[in-house]
Amino acid sequence: MRTALTHVTLWAIDRQCFQTIMMRTGLIKQNEYMDFLKSVPTFQSLTEETLSKLADVMEENQYDDGEFIIRQGARGDTFFIISKGMVNVTQADPSNQEPVLLRELSRGDWFGERALQGEDVRTANVVAVDSVTCLVIDRDSFKHLIGGLDDVSNKGYEDAELKANVLTFDIVLLSLLLAVMAACLLRVYS
């Protein structure tokens, strides 16, 4: 038996009451997750059973403004669905390592699936804008439950990658142009 060092009020709850509360809380959370998943167009084609299993394995993570959710180059083993807030997806510019904004994602959007489909490392950064809540799924659950869903598996990144490549090319071209102009100016004023 332990003795309190200061005046305390202790509340007790019996096991059955605690288990009932926990079960109700779990069911409420699962229903919230299922309703949310049903509101995301990509997941509307999933069966009720698959949605239920998905809701069972999801965990909810909170991120603060400016916090990195994913870092480019890090090993990836989780899939994220944004349930609240917005994120910026950036990629380091190869010429100067400065982040280049590829896109903004918000409620109902997802990310992280590429690292779960064979690419072990993350190809971009994902940074929280304000407060963000994501539903997170681990690699095994992802592959088992939604790995074959075409909308998730074949998400179109081509446009953003093309923009990033064009931007990188433009920066390299601009740098080269500036170097040539500087050399010409040196000749003129020498």
Side-chain angles (χ1 to χ4, degrees):
M1 186 155 143
R2 297 186 181 223
T3 306
L5 299 177
T6 62
H7 179 72
V8 297
T9 302
L10 181 64
W11 292 74
I13 187 169
D14 66 63
R15 179 184 311 233
Q16 188 171 358
C17 186
F18 175 76
Q19 288 174 339
T20 302
I21 291 169
M22 293 306 292
M23 189 173 9
R24 282 186 185 161
T25 304
L27 288 172
I28 290 169
K29 201 53 123 170
Q30 182 178 24
N31 285 336
E32 286 176 10
Y33 290 169
M34 285 186 64
D35 288 344
F36 171 70
L37 289 171
K38 288 176 186 177
S39 74
V40 178
T42 299
F43 301 113
Q44 289 174 352
S45 65
L46 296 175
T47 65
E48 193 80 14
E49 180 184 359
T50 302
L51 287 173
S52 178
K53 288 177 182 177
L54 204 50
D56 281 342
V57 298
M58 288 182 155
E59 292 182 21
E60 190 173 274
N61 290 355
Q62 307 283 331
Y63 302 94
D64 296 324
D65 183 37
E67 186 175 350
F68 278 78
I69 300 170
I70 287 179
R71 286 195 185 268
Q72 184 176 347
R75 187 177 176 283
D77 59 359
T78 46
F79 171 72
F80 301 82
I81 305 170
I82 302 169
S83 64
K84 179 182 150 265
M86 190 173 85
V87 300
N88 285 332
V89 180
T90 65
Q91 204 169 44
D93 180 341
S95 66
N96 61 10
Q97 295 304 308
E98 288 295 314
V100 175
L101 179 66
L102 299 179
R103 73 178 58 75
E104 294 175 342
L105 302 174
S106 59
R107 179 179 162 79
D109 290 327
W110 66 89
F111 55 92
E113 74 285 353
R114 292 178 108 189
L116 301 183
Q117 295 173 332
E119 296 180 30
D120 275 345
V121 295
R122 303 294 190 176
T123 58
N125 297 307
V126 178
V127 184
V129 177
D130 292 324
S131 177
V132 175
T133 303
C134 291
L135 302 178
V136 182
I137 306 167
D138 65 78
R139 180 187 300 262
D140 291 337
S141 299
F142 175 86
K143 283 186 174 181
H144 179 71
L145 296 170
I146 58 176
L149 188 60
D150 287 341
D151 284 355
V152 174
S153 300
N154 300 321
K155 185 176 179 184
Y157 286 99
E158 294 77 23
D159 60 329
E161 288 176 355
L162 181 61
K163 283 181 191 174
N165 290 339
V166 167
L167 181 60
T168 301
F169 179 75
D170 287 349
I171 291 170
V172 169
L173 191 59
L174 182 61
S175 298
L176 183 60
L177 182 61
L178 288 172
V180 169
M181 287 175 62
C184 289
L185 286 173
L186 283 174
R187 283 187 197 156
V188 170
Y189 290 107
S190 308

